[in-house]
Amino acid sequence: MDTMRDRFVDVTTRLLDEDSRLALVLADITAAAFAPAQERHPDRVVNVGIREQLLVGAAGGLALSGMRPIAHTFASFLIERPFEQVKLDLVHQGVGAVLVSAAGSYDWPAGGRTHMSPGDVALLDTLPDWTVHVPGHPDEAEQLLRHAYADGDRNVYVRLSAHQNAAPVAVEPGRFTTVRTGSRGVVLAVGPMLDAVLAATDGLDATVLYAATVRPFDAAGLRAALGGRTDVVLVEPYLAGTSANEAHEALADHPHRVLALGVPREEHRHYGSIPEHLAAYGLDAPGLRERIGAFLR
C-alpha cells in the first residue's frame, strides 16, 4: 500500500529533476530510497548521517545561498533534537526551509520514546510564522508537499505518518473542509484522525471539520461552522491541547466550550502497534465516541 513517505520520495525525486534550486538534506533516514536521485544530483542531495543539528544547519546554509531546501528525518530528530538550530539557523536568520518528518507520535512503538514526538507541533508554536501541514492520506501529502515547496521562502513543516485515512479529502491548503454537518457542535479532526472521528460521531448530529493544515489555523472556517453553537471538540494526532489556544482565540468573542483530545503527556511505556497505542490514548473510534458523546450531551 502506498504510504505518505513513499509519496514524499516520489514527489521530491521528480521535483529535484525539475528544479535546480531545490536541495534535499537527509540524516540517514530514507536515504536508500533517494539513492537514484543522489546519483543524478550529488550536489543537491546531501546525507549528513546521524547529525540532526547539522541537518538543519545545512538546510539553513542552503537557504542563505538562495536554494529551497527540504530537510527530512523522523519527527523527534527533526524538531525536538535540533530545535536550537530550527530557532536560530532558520527563523533567526530570516530564511525558510521545508521540514518533512516521519514517525510522529506513535508510528513506530517498538522504537521507544526516542522515536516518538507528540510535542513537535506544540514546540513549533513557540516560533513565529510557521505553516504546518498534517496530511491524512498520501494524495493529500503529495498536494501539500508541492504547495510547501512552492510556498515562497516560508518555513513549512509537513508531518507525515504511517497512520492514514482510507480515502483522501479534497483539501485546500490553509482551509478546513466540512465533511459532515450537524446541529450539536463541531468536531475538528486533524489529518489521520478523520476516519476514527467519522466512526465515533456517526449518529451524533455533529458537524465534522477536517484539517490537513493546522497552522495558520483557519479561524474563519471554525467560526462559520460553529454558527450559534458553543461546543468544539479538537481531535489531533499529537499532544492533546496543541490547538486549544488557537480555537479559543478564534472564538474570543463567542461563548464556547472546547474539549481537546490527543496524545496525553504521560508516556505509554509499552511496545505494540499503532492501533494499540490509539486505543490506549482513547483516540480509537470507541474511545472518541465515549468522550465526544459525553461532551456534546
Side-chain angles (χ1 to χ4, degrees):
M1 182 176 64
D2 190 22
T3 67
M4 296 187 208
R5 189 146 47 132
D6 293 334
R7 195 68 63 89
F8 163 60
V9 171
D10 181 56
V11 170
T12 305
T13 297
R14 282 182 277 148
L15 289 174
L16 283 162
D17 291 338
E18 297 166 5
D19 188 352
S20 61
R21 183 171 175 254
L22 181 65
L24 174 65
V25 191
L26 304 167
D28 272 0
I29 301 301
T30 319
F34 281 110
Q38 189 173 36
E39 289 179 6
R40 292 196 300 275
H41 311 289
D43 57 332
R44 292 190 289 116
V45 179
V46 181
N47 181 11
V48 301
I50 50 173
R51 301 174 181 89
E52 288 82 8
Q53 288 88 351
L54 177 59
L55 172 80
V56 177
L62 287 164
L64 280 169
S65 73
M67 305 291 284
R68 181 59 167 162
I70 296 175
H72 167 69
T73 185
F74 290 160
S76 56
F77 307 147
L78 183 63
I79 304 300
E80 294 180 334
R81 184 170 293 175
F83 181 70
E84 184 176 14
Q85 282 67 43
V86 173
K87 179 179 69 175
L88 298 179
D89 296 351
L90 294 177
V91 177
H92 182 66
Q93 292 283 11
V95 295
V98 181
L99 306 186
V100 180
S101 74
S105 301
Y106 40 71
D107 278 19
W108 188 22
R113 185 65 174 175
T114 58
H115 290 73
M116 298 178 182
S117 183
D120 54 349
V121 177
L123 191 56
L124 282 181
D125 272 346
T126 66
L127 302 174
D129 301 326
W130 277 82
T131 296
V132 179
H133 299 305
V134 188
H137 187 274
D139 289 358
E140 298 166 19
E142 175 167 353
Q143 178 186 352
L144 295 170
L145 282 163
R146 290 185 174 276
H147 185 272
Y149 146 77
D151 195 10
D153 288 309
R154 292 185 57 82
N155 280 308
V156 184
Y157 180 44
V158 184
R159 192 182 202 265
L160 306 182
S161 179
H163 178 205
Q164 61 189 54
N165 302 313
V169 174
V171 298
E172 179 183 352
R175 297 288 181 267
F176 299 158
T177 303
T178 301
V179 179
R180 179 186 292 162
T181 58
S183 62
R184 292 179 56 190
V186 172
V187 182
L188 176 63
V190 174
M193 298 311 308
L194 179 60
D195 279 359
V197 166
L198 288 174
T201 57
D202 186 36
L204 289 184
D205 191 27
T207 290
V208 175
L209 293 182
Y210 178 62
T213 301
V214 294
R215 301 292 182 274
F217 189 86
D218 185 8
L222 178 60
R223 288 195 299 268
L226 194 61
R229 291 160 291 183
T230 61
D231 294 341
V232 176
V233 182
L234 305 175
V235 185
E236 302 178 280
Y238 33 76
L239 191 65
T242 295
S243 294
N245 284 340
E246 298 285 340
H248 288 308
E249 289 182 8
L251 303 172
D253 58 352
H254 183 101
H256 64 277
R257 301 190 306 154
V258 173
L259 173 66
L261 304 178
V263 179
R265 284 175 171 78
E266 295 76 19
E267 293 183 34
H268 182 63
R269 299 190 178 191
H270 296 279
Y271 296 146
S273 64
I274 289 175
E276 288 171 329
H277 277 251
L278 291 170
Y281 301 145
L283 294 177
D284 60 350
L288 289 172
R289 185 172 184 85
E290 180 179 354
R291 293 194 284 176
I292 293 171
F295 182 74
L296 295 182
R297 283 195 297 270

